[in-house]
Amino acid sequence: ALTSLSIEHCLSLASLPESLGQLQALTELSIRSCSSLLHVPTSLHALQAKISFSRSSCVFPPVTVCGQGSDAIKTFLRDAESTCTNLSRSRVMLLGDGGAGKTTLVWGLQWLEAPVATRQQLRGALRSRLKHWTATDTRAWLRELDPHLKCSTSKSCAWCDNSQPDAPASFSELLSTTAAEIQTAMQPHPPSCRVAERVELCVRFLTASPDDDPDQVPADPAEELTRLR
């Protein structure tokens, strides 16, 4: 019977079979320098063998557990087998400062797969939030946009240099305009101002209805959502 198994420098090895846990005569299992092996079967906890990992990239069990020795590895695998549940879909955790745009990014990602009714709910929720923005909130957001969007005459453009006396209106004012009034409400700004163009796309998206001409709505609304705060 096999009593000792050493797996070394198998750079393409990505997994081990569950049946490995049935090798009851095994007294030693050593896994070393297998950079593609990220996960080992939970059945290994049933082995009588001493298990060791060295120079491993394994994340299940994690390196911190592997460093504690064979007993810790078996305990981890035993607990994982009895308490863990495989997820049916991936989950993502977004971390960042308050106001960094985490919630809006989630909305943008949800938009990609959402049915029409859900899209309208997302649009309405974002519109409701921005209606509470003051002119000061709007100017703070504009200051955080990519500087490369500013036009060449930024010192005379209220959208690029919003310290001007005729600084931009609040989003609540812009959202109360009709599609035909948006451009007038956003004046004055140079024709080449990409900051104003970005704001106009956002406003058109937020005020669009399901019956609007799709050519008048941003081609990639999810992208516009992620640019809002």
Side-chain angles (χ1 to χ4, degrees):
L2 181 65
T3 60
S4 178
L5 176 60
S6 178
I7 305 173
E8 299 184 4
H9 302 286
C10 297
L11 303 182
S12 298
L13 180 66
S15 63
L16 296 174
E18 284 285 344
S19 58
L20 195 60
Q22 299 174 12
L23 299 177
Q24 294 303 311
L26 202 64
T27 59
E28 184 175 2
L29 172 61
S30 173
I31 300 173
R32 183 172 184 268
S33 300
C34 298
S35 56
S36 297
L37 183 63
L38 303 180
H39 180 283
V40 299
T42 57
S43 63
L44 294 188
H45 75 80
L47 292 175
Q48 300 300 315
K50 177 182 177 181
I51 304 174
S52 64
F53 287 82
S54 178
R55 299 181 185 177
S56 171
S57 300
C58 196
V59 295
F60 186 91
V63 175
T64 52
V65 173
C66 294
Q68 296 176 42
S70 182
D71 289 342
I73 294 171
K74 291 181 181 180
T75 299
F76 176 89
L77 294 174
R78 184 183 302 109
D79 291 345
E81 185 177 69
S82 61
T83 61
C84 288
T85 301
N86 290 329
L87 297 177
S88 59
R89 59 183 180 180
S90 299
R91 293 185 180 181
V92 177
M93 177 180 291
L94 301 177
L95 303 176
D97 295 333
K102 300 184 295 296
T103 301
T104 305
L105 176 58
V106 170
W107 284 347
L109 294 173
Q110 289 176 335
W111 180 277
L112 297 176
E113 300 294 333
V116 173
T118 303
R119 291 187 175 193
Q120 288 306 311
Q121 291 175 359
L122 291 171
R123 194 197 307 268
L126 187 56
R127 183 167 56 236
S128 176
R129 171 177 288 196
L130 293 180
K131 278 186 176 180
H132 296 289
W133 274 22
T134 64
T136 300
D137 295 326
T138 305
R139 288 194 291 270
W141 173 64
L142 290 172
R143 285 194 293 271
E144 295 177 3
L145 288 178
D146 187 344
H148 293 95
L149 294 175
K150 293 186 177 183
C151 55
S152 56
T153 56
S154 60
K155 289 301 180 183
S156 60
C157 174
W159 291 96
C160 295
D161 181 15
N162 46 64
S163 62
Q164 299 284 334
D166 55 349
S170 67
F171 255 101
S172 60
E173 294 175 86
L174 292 174
L175 292 174
S176 64
T177 62
T178 64
E181 297 170 336
I182 292 176
Q183 285 190 328
T184 302
M186 293 187 58
Q187 295 296 337
H189 68 79
S192 62
C193 180
R194 294 178 62 198
V195 171
E197 178 186 2
R198 175 61 46 74
V199 175
E200 182 178 344
L201 283 172
C202 291
V203 174
R204 287 189 181 279
F205 163 67
L206 291 168
T207 56
S209 70
D211 299 325
D212 281 339
D213 182 348
D215 291 336
Q216 301 302 314
V217 181
D220 190 353
E223 179 182 349
E224 297 308 321
L225 270 171
T226 59
R227 297 181 187 278
L228 287 172
R229 294 278 296 280

